[in-house]
Amino acid sequence: TILTPVGPPLLIASLVFGGSATAVQTGSEAMKYYSEPNRLADRILALRGVVETIVRKICSMKETTLLPYLNRAVSALQQKKYSEKLHGSSR
């Protein structure tokens, strides 16, 4: 086929397109190799955001439910001790 008039241009085109395909494949492999840490970092940041949100919600729930209950319980105990102290000293 090289001896025909169309042979050399086909050979050159084959080399050019084959070389460019190899270069593109190598470039995409390099991009994939170097972008994998970025993807991992993005996942880590996303998970950190999820955990932060969960912790914030737990703290909010604690402040709205548990702390008022504990404050009432502590004040009831303090009143009981004060009452016992008053009644105990008057006897």
Side-chain angles (χ1 to χ4, degrees):
T1 60
I2 288 182
L3 300 177
T4 64
V6 182
L10 282 177
L11 180 63
I12 293 171
S14 167
L15 291 174
V16 167
F17 289 125
S20 63
T22 303
V24 167
Q25 181 180 4
T26 304
S28 69
E29 288 295 321
M31 183 188 71
K32 184 177 177 184
Y33 176 77
Y34 287 112
S35 70
E36 189 63 33
N38 291 336
R39 286 190 210 148
L40 180 62
D42 289 342
R43 287 184 195 139
I44 290 171
L45 290 175
L47 288 174
R48 180 181 180 269
V50 168
V51 169
E52 240 178 23
T53 302
I54 291 171
V55 168
R56 255 192 247 127
K57 293 298 178 186
I58 289 172
C59 287
S60 172
M61 288 170 47
K62 178 187 76 167
E63 290 172 359
T64 58
T65 58
L66 186 62
L67 290 181
Y69 172 78
L70 290 176
N71 287 337
R72 284 193 303 269
V74 167
S75 91
L77 285 174
Q78 287 174 344
Q79 286 177 355
K80 184 178 177 184
K81 284 183 182 181
Y82 181 72
S83 166
E84 288 174 356
K85 191 176 184 182
L86 284 178
H87 292 300
S89 64
S90 63
R91 291 182 186 173

